[in-house]
Structure formats: structure tokens, C-alpha cells
Amino acid sequence: SYELTQPPSVSVSPGQTASITCSAEKLGDKYVCWYQQKPGQSPVLVIYQDSERPSGISGIPERFSGSHSGNTATLTIGGTQAIDEADYYCQTWDRNVVFGGGTKLTVL
Amino acid sequence: QVQLQQWGAGLLKPSETLSLTCAVYGGSFSGYYWSWVRQSPGKGLEWIGEINHTGNINYNPSLKSRVTISVDTPKNQFSLKLSSVTAAVTSVYYCARGNMVQAWGQTYYYYMDVWGKGTTVTVSS
């Protein structure tokens, strides 16, 4: 089965840039999206199609961005705030939906 | 704004059948894949399977043998059944709206943009 690999944890200081990676074989042939999940809450889509931010009522702040190079996709949070502390999951589609293991972002 | 409302039994005994339903309000039911995702305590997200309004179904191969997903299109509802549950089934179960978009050729991208609030299911004797 297809597997996405994320670091278990990432730490960042307030105001700094946080980067969370997601890697897999042949990931360069696929698109990636990212979800944010805070304790006790449902996941929220923050990036889709590698780098697109959802708009509308649940608009995602511009400090969230996504990129994809080769077999690694990256979620970047610029000017990280305390409210960004959460678990982040990458997800792709390989004839089925596949999630990464999740990364706990700590804002110290 | 689309909302997903889910319900079902939260406490089961081993060998019983888990049964959850998710209703879609405020938006189109067709044109999307309706998914079930679960999260074991302290663990990550696990995709269970999905169905569209015509009944086209995809299952996670690792769970396929005990899972049944069905749809009631006139009611804008879809359901999950998981048979012969054990303690390992204890999780929060989410329903979600999946978008499958053709990027180019046979390359698609997929994302889930609307989620239910989750149902905690505990299996205990």
C-alpha cells in the first residue's frame, strides 16, 4: 500500500516560519492536500492541489502555503501564531485516499 | 453552506455491528464522493471508504472485508456499517465530502473540504 511520511513533530517560535514535509515514492506524479486538526475538533482543509488555499467562509489565512518538488510536498506557515498549534496531515490519492501519519506542530 | 450531520450508536459490545449515518444539508449531493474517516485515540487519520450518489464505492483495501458503505440519494444520506467489531474499532468516526478533480490526462487530485463533527464509537464488553 502507498505510504506518506511526515515528521512526527515540528517546533517553531512565534513569528517564525514552520515547514512540514510529506514524502513518498513517486509523489511527484500526484497532488497533495493538507489538513489542520486541533484537539477535539474535526480536520480542516488548509491546502489542496499542492498549493491552493480554500476560499470562502472558511478562508484560510495567507500565511499558509504549499509547495511540491519531486517526491516531497511541503506545508509552510509564515509568521506562525499560537493558534496554529495543531496536528497537520498530508493526503494524496493513489486509486484510494491516503493520509500521512501526521505532524504535531508546537509553537514555543 | 454545506453541513454534514452524523449520528449512530456510540457504545458497542464486541461482535456487534457499528452503524453510522451522515446527512448532507445545504448543498448538492451529486458530483462528490462521500467519505468515512476514523481516528483511533491518539492516532492519525485513516480513510475507510467512500461512495457517490450513483452508488459507486471505493474501500480502503485493509478494511474492505468488514465494511459496507451505502447511500440513500433521495434523503441525501450515506451510511457506514462495520461488522463484528472489536476494541480495535474504538475511534472517532468522521464523515466528509470528497472532491475528485481531473487535473490533466489520467491525473486527478482529491481533497475533503467539508467534515462532520465526528462520532465517538467505543467498543467495550
Side-chain angles (χ1 to χ4, degrees), chain B residues 55-99:
Chain B
N56 187 25
I57 304 172
N58 294 309
Y59 291 120
N60 183 330
S62 67
L63 300 171
K64 186 174 182 177
S65 62
R66 293 184 297 120
V67 173
T68 301
I69 295 176
S70 59
V71 66
D72 186 341
T73 301
K75 291 184 178 180
N76 284 6
Q77 295 178 3
F78 60 107
S79 298
L80 169 70
K81 290 188 187 301
L82 180 59
S83 62
S84 304
V85 299
T86 66
V89 166
T90 294
S91 298
V92 177
Y93 287 78
Y94 297 99
C95 57
R97 185 177 79 172
N99 298 260

Side-chain angles (χ1 to χ4, degrees), chain B residues 11-121:
Chain B
L11 181 61
L12 298 172
K13 289 182 167 49
S15 80
E16 293 183 335
T17 295
L18 178 156
S19 181
L20 299 175
T21 298
C22 183
V24 180
Y25 297 104
S28 174
F29 194 66
S30 62
Y32 299 97
Y33 276 88
W34 302 98
S35 271
W36 290 99
V37 176
R38 70 180 181 181
Q39 186 170 34
S40 301
K43 301 298 185 182
L45 303 173
E46 181 179 30
W47 180 73
I48 299 171
E50 65 186 0
I51 192 167
N52 70 358
H53 73 287
T54 65
N56 187 25
I57 304 172
N58 294 309
Y59 291 120
N60 183 330
S62 67
L63 300 171
K64 186 174 182 177
S65 62
R66 293 184 297 120
V67 173
T68 301
I69 295 176
S70 59
V71 66
D72 186 341
T73 301
K75 291 184 178 180
N76 284 6
Q77 295 178 3
F78 60 107
S79 298
L80 169 70
K81 290 188 187 301
L82 180 59
S83 62
S84 304
V85 299
T86 66
V89 166
T90 294
S91 298
V92 177
Y93 287 78
Y94 297 99
C95 57
R97 185 177 79 172
N99 298 260
M100 172 83 79
V101 182
Q102 186 175 18
W104 52 272
Q106 293 301 309
T107 301
Y108 294 81
Y109 61 91
Y110 185 106
Y111 59 94
M112 289 177 268
D113 61 344
V114 183
W115 293 69
K117 293 186 182 302
T119 300
T120 299
V121 176

